[in-house]
mmCIF file of all heavy atoms in Angstrom:
data_model
loop_
_atom_site.group_PDB
_atom_site.id
_atom_site.type_symbol
_atom_site.label_atom_id
_atom_site.label_comp_id
_atom_site.label_asym_id
_atom_site.label_seq_id
_atom_site.Cartn_x
_atom_site.Cartn_y
_atom_site.Cartn_z
ATOM 1 N N ASP A 174 3.799 -22.046 61.005
ATOM 2 C CA ASP A 174 4.936 -22.411 61.861
ATOM 3 C C ASP A 174 5.577 -21.161 62.441
ATOM 4 O O ASP A 174 6.027 -21.150 63.591
ATOM 5 C CB ASP A 174 5.963 -23.220 61.057
ATOM 6 C CG ASP A 174 5.428 -24.587 60.653
ATOM 7 O OD1 ASP A 174 4.519 -25.087 61.358
ATOM 8 O OD2 ASP A 174 5.894 -25.136 59.639
ATOM 9 N N ASN A 175 5.599 -20.089 61.640
ATOM 10 C CA ASN A 175 6.093 -18.794 62.109
ATOM 11 C C ASN A 175 4.884 -17.943 62.488
ATOM 12 O O ASN A 175 4.104 -17.563 61.614
ATOM 13 C CB ASN A 175 6.906 -18.110 61.011
ATOM 14 C CG ASN A 175 7.439 -16.752 61.453
ATOM 15 O OD1 ASN A 175 7.164 -16.285 62.557
ATOM 16 N ND2 ASN A 175 8.206 -16.111 60.578
ATOM 17 N N PRO A 176 4.677 -17.656 63.767
ATOM 18 C CA PRO A 176 3.492 -16.894 64.185
ATOM 19 C C PRO A 176 3.320 -15.568 63.446
ATOM 20 O O PRO A 176 2.180 -15.090 63.307
ATOM 21 C CB PRO A 176 3.740 -16.667 65.679
ATOM 22 C CG PRO A 176 4.627 -17.806 66.087
ATOM 23 C CD PRO A 176 5.516 -18.058 64.910
ATOM 24 N N ALA A 177 4.412 -14.991 62.971
ATOM 25 C CA ALA A 177 4.301 -13.729 62.233
ATOM 26 C C ALA A 177 3.577 -13.916 60.906
ATOM 27 O O ALA A 177 3.139 -12.934 60.294
ATOM 28 C CB ALA A 177 5.689 -13.139 61.992
ATOM 29 N N GLN A 178 3.452 -15.163 60.447
ATOM 30 C CA GLN A 178 2.785 -15.446 59.180
ATOM 31 C C GLN A 178 1.363 -15.964 59.373
ATOM 32 O O GLN A 178 0.715 -16.383 58.419
ATOM 33 C CB GLN A 178 3.610 -16.460 58.382
ATOM 34 C CG GLN A 178 4.988 -15.942 57.983
ATOM 35 C CD GLN A 178 5.813 -16.985 57.259
ATOM 36 O OE1 GLN A 178 5.487 -18.170 57.260
ATOM 37 N NE2 GLN A 178 6.900 -16.549 56.637
ATOM 38 N N ASN A 179 0.872 -15.920 60.604
ATOM 39 C CA ASN A 179 -0.535 -16.274 60.835
ATOM 40 C C ASN A 179 -1.437 -15.353 60.023
ATOM 41 O O ASN A 179 -1.110 -14.178 59.794
ATOM 42 C CB ASN A 179 -0.893 -16.145 62.317
ATOM 43 C CG ASN A 179 -0.224 -17.208 63.171
ATOM 44 O OD1 ASN A 179 0.341 -18.174 62.655
ATOM 45 N ND2 ASN A 179 -0.282 -17.026 64.483
ATOM 46 N N SER A 180 -2.557 -15.860 59.586
ATOM 47 C CA SER A 180 -3.493 -15.037 58.818
ATOM 48 C C SER A 180 -4.910 -15.245 59.340
ATOM 49 O O SER A 180 -5.184 -16.175 60.092
ATOM 50 C CB SER A 180 -3.427 -15.381 57.324
ATOM 51 O OG SER A 180 -3.774 -16.736 57.108
ATOM 52 N N ILE A 181 -5.797 -14.380 58.924
ATOM 53 C CA ILE A 181 -7.166 -14.401 59.440
ATOM 54 C C ILE A 181 -8.162 -14.269 58.288
ATOM 55 O O ILE A 181 -7.881 -13.636 57.264
ATOM 56 C CB ILE A 181 -7.386 -13.259 60.466
ATOM 57 C CG1 ILE A 181 -8.772 -13.366 61.093
ATOM 58 C CG2 ILE A 181 -7.157 -11.898 59.835
ATOM 59 C CD1 ILE A 181 -8.969 -12.419 62.262
ATOM 60 N N LYS A 182 -9.320 -14.899 58.477
ATOM 61 C CA LYS A 182 -10.411 -14.817 57.515
ATOM 62 C C LYS A 182 -11.717 -14.720 58.289
ATOM 63 O O LYS A 182 -11.856 -15.327 59.350
ATOM 64 C CB LYS A 182 -10.414 -16.051 56.609
ATOM 65 C CG LYS A 182 -11.496 -16.063 55.548
ATOM 66 C CD LYS A 182 -11.394 -17.316 54.691
ATOM 67 C CE LYS A 182 -12.464 -17.355 53.622
ATOM 68 N NZ LYS A 182 -12.372 -18.577 52.782
ATOM 69 N N LEU A 183 -12.654 -13.951 57.780
ATOM 70 C CA LEU A 183 -13.972 -13.867 58.416
ATOM 71 C C LEU A 183 -14.903 -14.872 57.768
ATOM 72 O O LEU A 183 -14.944 -15.009 56.542
ATOM 73 C CB LEU A 183 -14.551 -12.458 58.273
ATOM 74 C CG LEU A 183 -13.842 -11.352 59.039
ATOM 75 C CD1 LEU A 183 -14.563 -10.030 58.821
ATOM 76 C CD2 LEU A 183 -13.750 -11.670 60.520
ATOM 77 N N GLN A 184 -15.653 -15.561 58.610
ATOM 78 C CA GLN A 184 -16.602 -16.545 58.117
ATOM 79 C C GLN A 184 -17.986 -16.232 58.677
ATOM 80 O O GLN A 184 -18.128 -15.952 59.864
ATOM 81 C CB GLN A 184 -16.168 -17.947 58.541
ATOM 82 C CG GLN A 184 -16.990 -19.049 57.949
ATOM 83 C CD GLN A 184 -16.866 -19.107 56.441
ATOM 84 O OE1 GLN A 184 -15.770 -19.178 55.901
ATOM 85 N NE2 GLN A 184 -17.989 -19.046 55.753
ATOM 86 N N SER A 185 -18.983 -16.278 57.835
ATOM 87 C CA SER A 185 -20.355 -16.024 58.290
ATOM 88 C C SER A 185 -21.073 -17.350 58.498
ATOM 89 O O SER A 185 -20.624 -18.401 58.042
ATOM 90 C CB SER A 185 -21.120 -15.174 57.276
ATOM 91 O OG SER A 185 -21.469 -15.959 56.152
ATOM 92 N N GLY A 186 -22.206 -17.273 59.161
ATOM 93 C CA GLY A 186 -23.019 -18.460 59.337
ATOM 94 C C GLY A 186 -23.842 -18.766 58.102
ATOM 95 O O GLY A 186 -24.716 -19.623 58.148
ATOM 96 N N GLY A 187 -23.555 -18.064 57.024
ATOM 97 C CA GLY A 187 -24.324 -18.236 55.797
ATOM 98 C C GLY A 187 -25.223 -17.042 55.581
ATOM 99 O O GLY A 187 -26.056 -16.713 56.420
ATOM 100 N N PHE A 188 -25.037 -16.335 54.469
ATOM 101 C CA PHE A 188 -25.853 -15.170 54.194
ATOM 102 C C PHE A 188 -27.285 -15.579 53.896
ATOM 103 O O PHE A 188 -27.537 -16.569 53.213
ATOM 104 C CB PHE A 188 -25.297 -14.382 53.004
ATOM 105 C CG PHE A 188 -24.084 -13.567 53.341
ATOM 106 C CD1 PHE A 188 -22.886 -13.783 52.688
ATOM 107 C CD2 PHE A 188 -24.141 -12.592 54.318
ATOM 108 C CE1 PHE A 188 -21.771 -13.034 53.011
ATOM 109 C CE2 PHE A 188 -23.029 -11.836 54.634
ATOM 110 C CZ PHE A 188 -21.844 -12.058 53.979
ATOM 111 N N PRO A 189 -28.250 -14.826 54.410
ATOM 112 C CA PRO A 189 -29.640 -15.120 54.074
ATOM 113 C C PRO A 189 -29.908 -14.807 52.604
ATOM 114 O O PRO A 189 -29.106 -14.139 51.943
ATOM 115 C CB PRO A 189 -30.426 -14.168 54.995
ATOM 116 C CG PRO A 189 -29.486 -13.022 55.230
ATOM 117 C CD PRO A 189 -28.115 -13.629 55.260
ATOM 118 N N ASP A 190 -31.004 -15.320 52.108
ATOM 119 C CA ASP A 190 -31.420 -15.005 50.742
ATOM 120 C C ASP A 190 -31.995 -13.594 50.755
ATOM 121 O O ASP A 190 -33.156 -13.385 51.103
ATOM 122 C CB ASP A 190 -32.455 -16.023 50.268
ATOM 123 C CG ASP A 190 -32.833 -15.813 48.812
ATOM 124 O OD1 ASP A 190 -32.111 -15.080 48.120
ATOM 125 O OD2 ASP A 190 -33.853 -16.382 48.371
ATOM 126 N N LEU A 191 -31.147 -12.628 50.401
ATOM 127 C CA LEU A 191 -31.544 -11.234 50.534
ATOM 128 C C LEU A 191 -32.677 -10.899 49.566
ATOM 129 O O LEU A 191 -32.624 -11.256 48.388
ATOM 130 C CB LEU A 191 -30.349 -10.317 50.272
ATOM 131 C CG LEU A 191 -29.141 -10.520 51.194
ATOM 132 C CD1 LEU A 191 -28.041 -9.549 50.835
ATOM 133 C CD2 LEU A 191 -29.538 -10.358 52.648
ATOM 134 N N PRO A 192 -33.695 -10.208 50.041
ATOM 135 C CA PRO A 192 -34.823 -9.862 49.169
ATOM 136 C C PRO A 192 -34.484 -8.680 48.273
ATOM 137 O O PRO A 192 -33.514 -7.955 48.491
ATOM 138 C CB PRO A 192 -35.915 -9.478 50.177
ATOM 139 C CG PRO A 192 -35.148 -8.916 51.338
ATOM 140 C CD PRO A 192 -33.888 -9.740 51.425
ATOM 141 N N SER A 193 -35.292 -8.516 47.255
ATOM 142 C CA SER A 193 -35.258 -7.306 46.450
ATOM 143 C C SER A 193 -36.252 -6.323 47.067
ATOM 144 O O SER A 193 -37.290 -6.721 47.589
ATOM 145 C CB SER A 193 -35.654 -7.620 45.009
ATOM 146 O OG SER A 193 -35.809 -6.434 44.261
ATOM 147 N N PHE A 194 -35.919 -5.049 47.030
ATOM 148 C CA PHE A 194 -36.779 -4.022 47.612
ATOM 149 C C PHE A 194 -37.377 -3.145 46.510
ATOM 150 O O PHE A 194 -36.693 -2.782 45.554
ATOM 151 C CB PHE A 194 -35.988 -3.143 48.585
ATOM 152 C CG PHE A 194 -35.540 -3.860 49.824
ATOM 153 C CD1 PHE A 194 -34.295 -4.456 49.885
ATOM 154 C CD2 PHE A 194 -36.363 -3.958 50.931
ATOM 155 C CE1 PHE A 194 -33.874 -5.125 51.023
ATOM 156 C CE2 PHE A 194 -35.965 -4.631 52.073
ATOM 157 C CZ PHE A 194 -34.713 -5.216 52.118
ATOM 158 N N ASP A 195 -38.627 -2.839 46.653
ATOM 159 C CA ASP A 195 -39.291 -1.876 45.783
ATOM 160 C C ASP A 195 -40.348 -1.155 46.611
ATOM 161 O O ASP A 195 -41.548 -1.347 46.433
ATOM 162 C CB ASP A 195 -39.926 -2.568 44.579
ATOM 163 C CG ASP A 195 -40.475 -1.562 43.577
ATOM 164 O OD1 ASP A 195 -39.934 -0.440 43.514
ATOM 165 O OD2 ASP A 195 -41.446 -1.882 42.884
ATOM 166 N N PRO A 196 -39.905 -0.328 47.575
ATOM 167 C CA PRO A 196 -40.834 0.290 48.523
ATOM 168 C C PRO A 196 -41.751 1.300 47.859
ATOM 169 O O PRO A 196 -41.387 1.952 46.883
ATOM 170 C CB PRO A 196 -39.903 0.957 49.538
ATOM 171 C CG PRO A 196 -38.656 1.243 48.755
ATOM 172 C CD PRO A 196 -38.510 0.104 47.798
ATOM 173 N N ALA A 197 -42.925 1.425 48.430
ATOM 174 C CA ALA A 197 -43.904 2.381 47.905
ATOM 175 C C ALA A 197 -43.593 3.803 48.351
ATOM 176 O O ALA A 197 -44.080 4.764 47.765
ATOM 177 C CB ALA A 197 -45.311 1.984 48.362
ATOM 178 N N GLU A 198 -42.779 3.940 49.396
ATOM 179 C CA GLU A 198 -42.459 5.268 49.918
ATOM 180 C C GLU A 198 -41.056 5.247 50.534
ATOM 181 O O GLU A 198 -40.410 4.195 50.598
ATOM 182 C CB GLU A 198 -43.489 5.683 50.967
ATOM 183 C CG GLU A 198 -43.637 4.680 52.086
ATOM 184 C CD GLU A 198 -44.823 4.994 52.993
ATOM 185 O OE1 GLU A 198 -45.724 5.740 52.562
ATOM 186 O OE2 GLU A 198 -44.827 4.496 54.134
ATOM 187 N N SER A 199 -40.611 6.405 50.980
ATOM 188 C CA SER A 199 -39.288 6.507 51.595
ATOM 189 C C SER A 199 -39.227 5.681 52.878
ATOM 190 O O SER A 199 -40.254 5.403 53.509
ATOM 191 C CB SER A 199 -38.962 7.968 51.910
ATOM 192 O OG SER A 199 -38.971 8.758 50.740
ATOM 193 N N GLY A 200 -38.014 5.304 53.257
ATOM 194 C CA GLY A 200 -37.870 4.524 54.483
ATOM 195 C C GLY A 200 -36.410 4.312 54.835
ATOM 196 O O GLY A 200 -35.506 4.880 54.210
ATOM 197 N N THR A 201 -36.184 3.485 55.851
ATOM 198 C CA THR A 201 -34.852 3.257 56.398
ATOM 199 C C THR A 201 -34.453 1.797 56.249
ATOM 200 O O THR A 201 -35.269 0.894 56.441
ATOM 201 C CB THR A 201 -34.807 3.634 57.891
ATOM 202 O OG1 THR A 201 -35.137 5.022 58.024
ATOM 203 C CG2 THR A 201 -33.427 3.390 58.473
ATOM 204 N N LEU A 202 -33.204 1.578 55.893
ATOM 205 C CA LEU A 202 -32.626 0.238 55.852
ATOM 206 C C LEU A 202 -31.400 0.251 56.759
ATOM 207 O O LEU A 202 -30.464 1.015 56.522
ATOM 208 C CB LEU A 202 -32.226 -0.143 54.429
ATOM 209 C CG LEU A 202 -31.508 -1.484 54.250
ATOM 210 C CD1 LEU A 202 -32.396 -2.640 54.700
ATOM 211 C CD2 LEU A 202 -31.086 -1.688 52.800
ATOM 212 N N MET A 203 -31.429 -0.567 57.827
ATOM 213 C CA MET A 203 -30.302 -0.613 58.759
ATOM 214 C C MET A 203 -29.573 -1.948 58.603
ATOM 215 O O MET A 203 -30.181 -3.013 58.621
ATOM 216 C CB MET A 203 -30.774 -0.448 60.208
ATOM 217 C CG MET A 203 -29.631 -0.596 61.220
ATOM 218 S SD MET A 203 -30.139 -0.359 62.952
ATOM 219 C CE MET A 203 -30.232 1.429 63.013
#
Side-chain angles (χ1 to χ4, degrees):
D174 293 335
N175 180 357
Q178 296 177 346
N179 290 348
S180 61
I181 185 171
K182 181 179 180 180
L183 292 182
Q184 187 64 54
S185 74
F188 284 120
D190 185 14
L191 301 180
S193 172
F194 292 93
D195 187 28
E198 55 189 20
S199 300
T201 300
L202 176 61
M203 176 178 282

